[in-house]
Amino acid sequence: GQQVQQSPASLVLQEGENAELQCNFSTSLNSMQWFYQRPEGSLVSLFYNPSGTKQSGRLTSTTVIKERRSSLHISSSQITDSGTYLCAMEQGGSAKLIFGEGTKLTVSS
Amino acid sequence: EAAVTQSPRSKVAVTGGKVTLSCHQTNNHDYMYWYRQDTGHGLRLIHYSYVADSTEKGDIPDGYKASRPSQENFSLILELASLSQTAVYFCASSADWVSSYEQYFGPGTRLTVL
């Protein structure tokens, strides 16, 4: 089965609303990364977050290793936040990332 | 800022032909990776390498070869391209496990096999 489950698969927001994206892992993990994929396809690393909470502007990532989950919170969403958000886990010491299928976010005015 | 470049950025190949995708990093990273992404899905690991002149199989290596001639360069080779290999290919690099496994990605190569 899928080792990395992302939810929701898609999300539609009005500009200014908040979003909560979830990532759950079926196996133990060493760390994880959140990526933003622009509509044209390029990837932007948002957070490398082995554990705990990290914030960057309107984005907050929280990873709880023991519970095998991570979340990405987007506050006051903007139209330019539209795109796909991918989470990926690194299994213990393997240096390899296993990706989820992504959450497609659409923010409209 | 980490720098990973890929060439070509897009390519159209014929079924049965040979395709080589190239990746270059200037991060002085030991690890390099090749992933593929199919439309609407996440990325899957094809091959990776942690030292020059050595490569390792990832999760979906069948139909692909990899070459790491130097620390900076990592190539993905499709000896006999097939329709099912139409996808976007991403290269990435990361430092050794002591410092961080955070991966830095290139812009991607869109491959279409006809």
Side-chain angles (χ1 to χ4, degrees), chain B:
Chain B
E1 180 78 23
V4 180
T5 56
Q6 295 182 231
S7 62
R9 293 295 314 278
S10 67
K11 183 173 181 64
V12 178
V14 295
T15 305
K18 182 177 182 179
V19 176
T20 300
L21 306 182
S22 299
C23 179
H24 179 79
Q25 56 105 353
T26 58
N27 309 321
N28 198 32
H29 284 167
D30 290 326
Y31 286 81
M32 295 187 75
Y33 313 81
W34 276 107
Y35 295 88
R36 68 174 277 173
Q37 184 180 34
D38 296 289
T39 304
H41 294 278
L43 283 69
R44 292 181 292 168
L45 181 65
I46 307 170
H47 285 289
Y48 67 102
S49 168
Y50 53 84
V51 68
D53 295 323
S54 178
T55 63
E56 305 293 330
K57 292 181 179 179
D59 298 321
I60 52 164
D62 293 345
Y64 302 94
K65 290 184 180 180
S67 173
R68 181 93 182 267
S70 63
Q71 186 193 40
E72 299 81 14
N73 297 293
F74 192 35
S75 297
L76 185 68
I77 303 148
L78 290 67
E79 295 278 4
L80 295 169
S82 67
L83 295 173
S84 63
Q85 292 177 313
T86 292
V88 178
Y89 292 84
F90 288 96
C91 176
S93 74
S94 69
D96 61 270
W97 69 273
V98 174
S99 46
S100 168
Y101 274 144
E102 181 174 8
Q103 295 193 15
Y104 297 86
F105 282 77
T109 295
R110 185 172 297 275
L111 175 65
T112 303
V113 182
L114 302 175

Side-chain angles (χ1 to χ4, degrees), chain A residues 39-51:
Chain A
E40 45 83 2
S42 61
L43 285 167
V44 178
S45 179
L46 298 175
F47 293 102
Y48 174 75
N49 190 1
S51 66

Side-chain angles (χ1 to χ4, degrees), chain A residues 48-59:
Chain A
Y48 174 75
N49 190 1
S51 66
T53 298
K54 289 191 175 183
Q55 183 175 1
S56 175
R58 295 181 294 106
L59 304 180

